[in-house]
Every structure is written in structure tokens, then in C-alpha cells.
Amino acid sequence: MYYGGYGYRGMGIGFDPMYILVIIMAILCMVASHRVSSVYKKYAKVRSMSGLTGAQAAMEILRRNGITDVSVQHIAGNLTDHFDPRTRTVSLSDATYGSSSVAAVAVAAHECGHVIQHSTGYLPLQIRTAIVPAANIGSKAGIPLLLLGMLLSFRPLITIGILVFSLAVLFQVVTLPVEFNASHRALVMLEDYGILEHDEVPASKKVLSAAAMTYVASAASAVVQLLRLILLNNRRR
């Protein structure tokens, strides 16, 4: 509706349609997080037929692949599982390490997928590892630099802030093929090594797919935020 030029934009407030995308992405991230939690809880109650715990499954996978310099250890927390190539350790959380559930075994196998990626020189993982320091700087300093540049009306600093923040976004995007590939490797090994029966694989796939969606949502949210910052910067010119 036209009000003789006295709309919101005329008052200097303006309506940024990118806000809608940002809100949608935030909601998707919350939904994805809830989804992985609910799916994990569901299959954490389903005991695998092999009876192997997450730790035992991880050690079996490493043994089958001839990897002897990586240890499997327990770490506190819930779904804090990860592989640290610096210390050569697969850390499995409370819900994974000693549990023989389909969910626990799937998560343990996924982390072993990262181990194998590292041992075979999987390119996306190498790229992600290489940009970790820059991504950490980008996630912490990008937005503050941009805001400072806007406060001072100093365009070069705004541009630097956007470029620095883009490094954190790049990390999120590169993470996607790394995580999907690790899950694919995990599912193949679980069945091929007899850790899970053929009928149990679909359940483990649901667990890993739900976890993967959290990375997709985070990456999409980061990309939208970056695009919004670029558009805002262009409008100020």
C-alpha cells in the first residue's frame, strides 16, 4: 500500500527480506538439532545383534583397516564424539563408548570413518584441516571487524570483516563432504565387517543422516548470513 512516500523505508528503518531467511535458517538449525537428539535416543534403546559396544566396534574397524597408531578413549558428555588427528585418538562420549546400541555403534563407526579419511589423505578433510586456524579467526573476529568498520564508516574495514568471516563460512561448507563421506564409509564397514546385520543398517543410517542434517543447516545458515552481510555492505555504497 502506498502512503505518499512515508513508508518504513522512508523513516530509515527499511525491511530487509534477508532477515526472513536468517530466521528460517535459525529455525532449521534448531529443528535439525532436535531431530538428531530424538533419533539418537530412539535407536540408543535398540541393542545391536552383535552386542559390540561403540568402543569395541571402533577398535574392530581400526583393526580391519590395519590402523594401529590410533587409540579409542572415553570422553565425558553427550554426543561429544570426535577424532583428533593431532593426538591420534577417537574419543567416544558417555552414550557411545560403553553402549551396544545401534546408535552408539553407528556414531563410533562414523568417527572411524574420519580416521580412515585421514590415513588415506582424503582431500576435503585435508582442506578443512588446513583452514581450521583461519576459520577460527573468522568466526571470532569477522563480525566484530565488520561492526567496527560500520561504526567508523570505514569501508575497507567492513570489507576485511566480510572476507575474514567468509573463512568461517568456507569451513562450514567444506565440512559437508567430509561428514557425508565419513557416514558413507561407516555404513559400508558396519555391514561388511558384520558389526551390524543387514536389517540393522537402515536404523544406523537414520542416525547418521539426522546428524548430517545439523551440518547442512549450519552451513546453509552461515552462507545466508554471509550473503546478508555482503548485501548490506553494497547498500551502504
Side-chain angles (χ1 to χ4, degrees):
M1 184 177 294
Y2 180 65
Y3 290 99
Y6 292 96
Y8 289 114
R9 199 172 291 278
M11 293 188 292
I13 298 175
F15 173 71
D16 184 356
M18 289 297 289
Y19 276 126
I20 298 177
L21 279 178
V22 171
I23 294 172
I24 291 175
M25 290 300 105
I27 293 174
L28 286 178
C29 285
M30 290 187 290
V31 170
S33 180
H34 174 73
R35 170 69 177 168
V36 68
S37 179
S38 62
V39 171
Y40 188 90
K41 286 180 180 179
K42 176 180 179 179
Y43 292 106
K45 300 175 183 177
V46 180
R47 188 176 186 275
S48 65
M49 295 180 187
S50 67
L52 293 177
T53 64
Q56 291 170 333
M59 288 186 281
E60 176 65 9
I61 290 173
L62 296 178
R63 184 188 69 81
R64 290 286 196 110
N65 285 274
I67 299 174
T68 58
D69 61 342
V70 174
S71 62
V72 178
Q73 66 177 18
H74 174 262
I75 187 173
N78 182 38
L79 296 180
T80 51
D81 314 87
H82 65 277
F83 165 60
D84 189 339
R86 297 169 300 178
T87 59
R88 307 291 292 168
T89 56
V90 172
S91 298
L92 302 179
S93 64
D94 296 330
T96 305
Y97 188 87
S99 173
S100 58
S101 70
V102 170
V105 170
V107 170
H110 174 87
E111 297 308 326
C112 289
H114 288 311
V115 176
I116 297 170
Q117 286 176 337
H118 188 268
S119 66
T120 58
Y122 182 60
L123 183 57
L125 179 63
Q126 291 181 324
I127 296 174
R128 188 178 75 166
T129 301
I131 65 176
V132 165
N136 287 335
I137 294 174
S139 63
K140 295 176 182 177
I143 298 299
L145 285 173
L146 184 145
L147 292 176
L148 181 60
M150 296 179 74
L151 181 65
L152 300 176
S153 296
F154 187 53
R155 192 167 303 283
L157 189 56
I158 296 175
T159 301
I160 291 173
I162 292 175
L163 291 175
V164 171
F165 180 71
S166 67
L167 295 173
V169 177
L170 176 62
F171 178 83
Q172 296 269 20
V173 173
V174 174
T175 291
L176 296 180
V178 174
E179 295 300 327
F180 278 103
N181 179 263
S183 291
H184 173 72
R185 292 173 188 264
L187 294 171
V188 172
M189 293 186 295
L190 286 172
E191 185 168 10
D192 287 353
Y193 300 165
I195 297 174
L196 290 181
E197 297 295 327
H198 178 74
D199 293 342
E200 295 176 302
V201 174
S204 64
K205 185 175 182 179
K206 290 180 181 179
V207 173
L208 297 181
S209 295
M213 286 304 103
T214 62
Y215 291 102
V216 173
S218 294
S221 180
V223 170
V224 167
Q225 179 72 345
L226 177 60
L227 291 176
R228 177 173 175 271
L229 294 176
I230 293 173
L231 289 174
L232 285 175
N233 185 40
N234 290 338
R235 288 174 186 174
R236 291 172 63 89
R237 292 180 179 177

